[in-house]
Amino acid sequence: SQTIHQWPATLVQPVGSPLSLECTVEGTSNPNLYWYRQAAGRGLQLLFYSVGIGQISSEVPQNLSASRPQDRQFILSSKKLLLSDSGFYLCAWSVKFSSYEQYFGPGTRLTVT
Amino acid sequence: AQTVTQSQPEMSVQEAETVTLSCTYDTSENNYYLFWYKQPPSRQMILVIRQEAYKQQNATENRFSVNFQKAAKSFSLKISDSQLGDTAMYFCAFMKGTIQGAQKLVFGQGTRLTINP
């Protein structure tokens, strides 16, 4: 069966520090991968998606970047965190060309102080 | 751009009651997909139900059913015989279709549902 992992689960970082969140998927190959952010009490906003290694599409201009160095690994990064980067970050995967569901990871709670 | 609106920030019902969560969306597309996701306190996103816009029949999954009104761009979720485990945030989501094989979901703001014993 497929599983999706995210780490760390929680993170507290000072403003101006770098960020690296990691997401890995097991049990499938060549998945679509997604990064979402959920601000407090709000819905999910798609940040990035990837259809393959090295292929990243950005949905919103921001202080963050994403990379996909391996087929089942998706990384969310920042060189210098802002207070507004605080939130709950969710990684998800899906089968290509499928209109069915996306499968979400457990998420990372990021607090920028 | 597509937008999804959930007009009920919070709802509360007694266990075993039926509750309906509202969702409206705006799109010029004819073919698309709609979803309801559940986010319990654990914050794990779980798919509740899915509807294809080209299907007139409303989707059902056990105690969960939808009322899909395509002309009105409305997609409500009905939970029958509500249970304590249904307590969660519920998100309505819209998907236009695949782009380069990827699905882009647009989420509503969510409805916080509490089931009281």
Side-chain angles (χ1 to χ4, degrees):
Chain A
S1 63
Q2 301 86 8
T3 55
I4 178 169
H5 305 279
Q6 285 186 245
W7 62 88
T10 60
L11 191 60
V12 180
Q13 292 284 93
V15 169
S17 63
L19 173 74
S20 181
L21 302 182
E22 189 166 343
C23 170
T24 59
V25 180
E26 296 177 354
T28 187
S29 60
N30 198 25
N32 295 321
L33 296 172
Y34 309 84
W35 277 112
Y36 290 88
R37 177 167 59 200
Q38 184 177 22
R42 306 196 64 179
L44 279 68
Q45 181 184 35
L46 179 63
L47 301 177
F48 302 94
Y49 68 92
S50 171
V51 299
I53 296 174
Q55 300 180 65
I56 308 296
S57 296
S58 175
E59 286 297 291
V60 292
Q62 59 204 313
N63 185 43
L64 303 169
S65 62
S67 62
R68 185 171 176 174
Q70 300 181 40
D71 180 48
R72 291 169 289 175
Q73 184 185 31
F74 205 23
I75 297 172
L76 184 68
S77 304
S78 173
K79 292 182 180 179
K80 289 185 178 181
L81 282 169
L82 305 173
L83 285 174
S84 58
D85 291 324
S86 292
F88 190 64
Y89 289 82
L90 285 156
C91 180
W93 74 273
S94 70
V95 176
K96 279 192 173 43
F97 297 103
S98 168
S99 60
Y100 287 84
E101 67 180 296
Q102 291 183 12
Y103 302 89
F104 287 83
T108 295
R109 181 183 298 279
L110 172 65
T111 303
V112 182
T113 60
Chain B
Q2 288 79 20
T3 59
V4 178
T5 302
Q6 294 180 246
S7 59
Q8 305 151 311
E10 295 188 28
M11 297 186 72
S12 178
V13 298
Q14 295 299 119
E15 191 176 8
E17 290 183 345
T18 294
V19 59
T20 299
L21 281 58
S22 301
C23 173
T24 59
Y25 57 93
D26 185 26
T27 184
S28 58
E29 301 291 330
N30 190 48
N31 295 320
Y32 50 88
Y33 305 85
L34 295 164
F35 304 82
W36 279 98
Y37 276 87
K38 167 185 176 181
Q39 188 180 42
S42 68
R43 304 204 75 170
Q44 177 70 51
M45 292 287 286
I46 302 165
L47 178 68
V48 175
I49 201 164
R50 172 182 175 275
Q51 175 80 43
E52 297 97 330
Y54 62 85
K55 288 188 176 180
Q56 292 186 340
Q57 185 175 5
N58 289 323
T60 62
E61 288 288 341
N62 301 313
R63 298 183 294 108
F64 299 87
S65 61
V66 299
N67 183 4
F68 173 49
Q69 301 290 327
K70 190 174 184 178
K73 297 180 182 177
S74 171
F75 183 59
S76 61
L77 174 70
K78 186 173 80 171
I79 305 174
S80 303
D81 186 26
S82 58
Q83 301 174 359
L84 297 179
D86 296 332
T87 293
M89 281 287 286
Y90 286 81
F91 294 99
C92 179
F94 171 98
M95 185 182 81
K96 182 173 68 174
T98 62
I99 300 173
Q100 296 180 301
Q103 305 92 342
K104 294 171 67 173
L105 286 172
V106 177
F107 284 86
Q109 298 290 69
T111 296
R112 184 177 302 278
L113 175 65
T114 302
I115 309 298
N116 299 307

